[in-house]
């Protein structure tokens, strides 16, 4: 069983930065790939970024490449999402999700979910 808790969301002006954290429970954290999803009002939940358990491989959806950076500290059971040059269209609830062993961008493949943290980018 893995429990995930997101933090770091808030209100920021366009062009600003935020750093989200996803803290996980459990002793097998490094066996899980972690993916950040987001869901804007009235829209479906979409994949944003992902990272494999070792942290060697990372994945980014096109709209955030060059602006967002995902990283993980397995000693702290935490994954980070550094978000720079934020745009109003980045406004959403951000969720982290865990998948055992392999990585996937599909929300249907995730084993565990956090409850989300709200990011609001004002214009």
């Amino acid at each position: 069983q893995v429990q995930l808790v997101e933090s770091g969301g808030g209100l920021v002006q366009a062009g600003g930065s935020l750093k989200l954290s996803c803290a996980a429970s459990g002793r097998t954290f490094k066996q899980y790939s972690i993916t950040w999803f987001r869901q804007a009002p009235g829209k479906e939940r979409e994949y944003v970024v992902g990272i494999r358990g070792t942290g060697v491989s990372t994945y980014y959806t096109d709209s955030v490449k060059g602006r967002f950076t995902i990283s993980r500290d397995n000693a702290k059971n935490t994954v980070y999402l550094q978000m720079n040059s934020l745009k109003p269209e980045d406004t959403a609830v951000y969720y982290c999700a865990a998948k055992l062993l392999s990585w996937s961008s599909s929300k249907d493949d995730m084993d565990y979910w956090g409850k989300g943290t709200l990011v609001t980018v004002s214009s």
Side-chain angles (χ1 to χ4, degrees):
Q1 188 80 0
V2 175
Q3 292 183 324
L4 303 172
V5 179
E6 303 94 336
S7 62
L11 173 63
V12 64
Q13 288 188 331
S17 298
L18 280 175
K19 187 174 184 177
L20 306 184
S21 298
C22 172
S25 65
R27 294 176 292 177
T28 59
F29 178 65
K30 64 182 178 181
Q31 295 182 3
Y32 286 85
S33 65
I34 300 294
T35 303
W36 285 94
F37 294 82
R38 65 186 179 188
Q39 187 166 17
K43 295 189 176 181
E44 290 203 1
R45 194 170 298 189
E46 63 176 2
Y47 142 72
V48 181
V49 299
I51 189 167
R52 288 188 181 264
T54 60
V56 173
S57 299
T58 57
Y59 309 88
Y60 298 87
T61 195
D62 286 346
S63 62
V64 306
K65 285 180 181 177
R67 300 190 298 123
F68 290 12
T69 303
I70 189 170
S71 61
R72 68 190 293 160
D73 184 341
N74 285 340
K76 296 182 178 180
N77 278 18
T78 303
V79 169
Y80 304 99
L81 179 57
Q82 177 68 48
M83 305 186 296
N84 299 329
S85 302
L86 282 161
K87 305 175 181 180
E89 51 263 43
D90 294 318
T91 295
V93 177
Y94 283 71
Y95 300 88
C96 66
K99 183 183 182 302
L100 184 63
L101 299 178
S102 62
W103 179 78
S104 171
S105 63
S106 172
K107 59 183 182 294
D108 295 332
D109 291 339
M110 300 299 115
D111 297 312
Y112 302 100
W113 289 87
K115 294 183 178 181
T117 185
L118 177 62
V119 172
T120 304
V121 184
S122 63
S123 57

